[in-house]
């Protein structure tokens, strides 16, 4: 993770956010990836805390499980990762009022 960033503090911050805010993070990231994959990749490489924040948001929303992370890490270790292999993010639930 980026130098000077406490992973536990980041987890606590993401844990304290509303689901609506978490969905906003996920959808903004998805939109960036869909509109400019190369810029999104460079942004995530330059800002590892951003990538970790998005991952934590996805985990909290139930979009990613420990098994999914294990599978991705296993594929990355064997060089099986490829472009465009991520599943589409489902739309957020309707706002509750």
């Amino acid at each position: 993770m980026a130098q000077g960033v406490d992973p536990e503090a980041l987890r606590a911050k993401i844990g304290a956010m509303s689901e609506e805010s978490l969905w906003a993070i996920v959808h903004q990231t998805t939109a960036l990836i869909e509109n400019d994959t190369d810029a999104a990749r460079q942004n995530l490489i330059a800002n590892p805390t951003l990538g970790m924040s998005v991952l934590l948001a996805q985990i909290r929303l139930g979009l990613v499980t420990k098994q999914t992370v294990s599978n991705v890490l296993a594929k990355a270790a064997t060089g099986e990762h490829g472009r465009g292999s991520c599943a589409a993010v489902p739309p957020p639930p309707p706002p509750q009022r």
Side-chain angles (χ1 to χ4, degrees), residues 7-50:
E8 291 306 316
L10 182 60
R11 283 187 189 96
K13 192 170 210 165
I14 294 296
M17 294 177 76
S18 70
E19 283 193 16
E20 186 176 333
S21 296
L22 297 174
W23 278 111
I25 290 170
V26 170
H27 282 282
Q28 288 171 4
T29 305
T30 302
L32 176 60
I33 291 167
E34 289 174 349
N35 292 329
D36 193 343
T37 304
D38 292 329
R41 180 177 289 114
Q42 290 306 314
N43 197 4
L44 290 166
I45 289 169
N47 302 291
T49 303
L50 175 61

Side-chain angles (χ1 to χ4, degrees), residues 22-94:
L22 297 174
W23 278 111
I25 290 170
V26 170
H27 282 282
Q28 288 171 4
T29 305
T30 302
L32 176 60
I33 291 167
E34 289 174 349
N35 292 329
D36 193 343
T37 304
D38 292 329
R41 180 177 289 114
Q42 290 306 314
N43 197 4
L44 290 166
I45 289 169
N47 302 291
T49 303
L50 175 61
M52 180 57 83
S53 298
V54 173
L55 177 61
L56 291 171
Q58 291 172 327
I59 290 169
R60 186 142 163 253
L61 292 168
L63 300 173
V64 175
T65 64
K66 289 181 182 180
Q67 185 61 45
T68 304
V69 173
S70 295
N71 291 344
V72 169
L73 292 175
K75 285 182 180 181
T78 61
E80 290 184 45
H81 54 81
R83 281 187 121 168
S85 62
C86 295
V89 175

